[in-house]
Amino acid sequence: MTSEPTSRAATQLLAMLAQAMASGAVETVDLTHTLDPDFPVLVLPPEFGQCARFRIEQVSAYDERGPGWKWNNFSCSEHTGTHFDAPIHWISGRDLPQNSVDEIPVHNFVGPVCVIDCSAQAGRDEDFELTPDTILEWEAIHGRVPADSWVLMRTDWSKRTGAAYLNMREDGPHSPGPTAAAIRFLVDERDIRGFGTETVGTDAGQGSHYTPPYPAHYYLHGAGRYGLQCLNNLDRLPATGAILIAAPLKIRNGTGSPLRVLALAPRASDAGRA
Ligand code: 23J
Ligand code: MN
């Protein structure tokens, strides 16, 4: 049983949070791209099945199909736009318990977040790789990545539009991402909850050529951890101290889902940026 003082402390904490949100001392940051048919989706080698873009069609708009109301039908992939990856998405996580979006315990959808700013490096090198050394350098400044936190790789890739987002070439897409060693470090040595990126995958564009292929997917999901992709506005988060809210749709046996990703953060003028 929760003891009375703990319960009272929690009540006071939530009241303080509500007050800070009302005053603007804590702001709500939107880390989500707009779902739109033009937003790029992952393109796999042609022998594989492909991810569907977002589609939307009007059912009625205050007209003869429905005089007093407007509504649309939409369709997309579980992996379209800003989205969540569940462990069941990858073969390494296929037999884990609670591995689909409908089964994941909901406390995993709210929690602390670390932001590793790789925007300068990614600006110089479109194939920039996050390594264990990059993470250790970040920790020397910001402290150790706490267990059960989200780690987001900021690259400012979310500012790209059109063809520059996938950055497709003859040999496939070119975009920054983590090495296999970096993901293993975050999972095995830091016990993170999940890893997120501003690019179309948690893996680098060239991740199909890594060992194993798509190592971020392989190791994260094999360890029951989660992914977030196509994040937006990571330049608006502090390196530490924000709370991430990322709750996927409750799709039965779903491997992922588009979602609204939010962060609660100290107001920008009150805190150092990541
Ligand atoms: C399937 C195969 C490879 C990749 C992906 C999906 C994703 O990035 C995804 O959206 O989960 S790299
Ligand atoms: Mn995905």
Side-chain angles (χ1 to χ4, degrees), residues 21-175:
M21 292 177 72
S23 74
V26 168
E27 63 179 353
T28 307
V29 183
D30 191 356
L31 305 182
T32 321
H33 282 290
T34 302
L35 281 169
D36 179 284
D38 291 333
F39 191 81
V41 296
L42 179 77
V43 176
L44 291 177
E47 63 267 31
F48 299 126
Q50 302 294 333
C51 184
R53 285 185 181 238
F54 182 75
R55 288 180 51 191
I56 190 161
E57 59 184 22
Q58 209 166 62
V59 180
S60 73
Y62 330 115
D63 54 25
E64 66 285 353
R65 299 170 299 172
W69 50 92
K70 173 172 168 168
W71 53 350
N72 306 306
N73 290 328
F74 70 82
S75 63
C76 61
S77 166
E78 294 171 327
H79 298 261
T80 300
T82 302
H83 72 275
F84 184 102
D85 278 7
I88 199 176
H89 178 40
W90 221 252
I91 192 164
S92 52
R94 68 191 272 177
D95 296 322
L96 294 177
Q98 301 178 318
N99 59 356
S100 55
V101 284
D102 55 324
E103 298 280 340
I104 295 169
V106 296
H107 67 260
N108 291 294
F109 301 151
V110 182
V113 59
C114 298
V115 181
I116 303 181
D117 182 6
C118 304
S119 59
Q121 303 96 306
R124 290 191 292 267
D125 176 6
E126 59 192 16
D127 294 307
F128 173 75
E129 293 179 326
L130 175 71
T131 64
D133 277 348
T134 323
I135 299 163
L136 290 169
E137 285 164 24
W138 182 94
E139 288 189 330
I141 299 167
H142 301 289
R144 191 179 166 103
V145 172
D148 207 23
S149 56
W150 282 98
V151 172
L152 307 183
M153 179 180 176
R154 173 184 163 197
T155 55
D156 288 351
W157 215 254
S158 58
K159 299 183 190 304
R160 291 183 170 225
T161 55
Y165 191 68
L166 291 185
N167 202 24
M168 191 63 76
R169 302 237 213 86
E170 301 269 282
D171 60 349
H174 287 263
S175 54

Side-chain angles (χ1 to χ4, degrees), residues 162-250:
Y165 191 68
L166 291 185
N167 202 24
M168 191 63 76
R169 302 237 213 86
E170 301 269 282
D171 60 349
H174 287 263
S175 54
T179 63
I183 291 295
R184 295 191 67 165
F185 177 81
L186 289 171
V187 170
D188 297 340
E189 310 293 332
R190 295 297 180 262
D191 201 19
I192 62 164
R193 179 181 299 183
F195 179 78
T197 62
E198 292 179 68
T199 55
V200 82
T202 44
D203 275 290
Q206 290 290 295
S208 66
H209 305 302
Y210 287 16
T211 309
Y214 307 111
H217 284 79
Y218 187 85
Y219 289 120
L220 284 169
H221 304 322
R225 313 307 157 93
Y226 315 120
L228 286 169
Q229 288 123 92
C230 306
L231 291 167
N232 199 2
N233 295 327
L234 295 190
D235 57 342
R236 294 178 53 194
L237 293 185
T240 65
I243 300 287
L244 192 79
I245 303 168
L249 298 178
K250 203 169 180 176

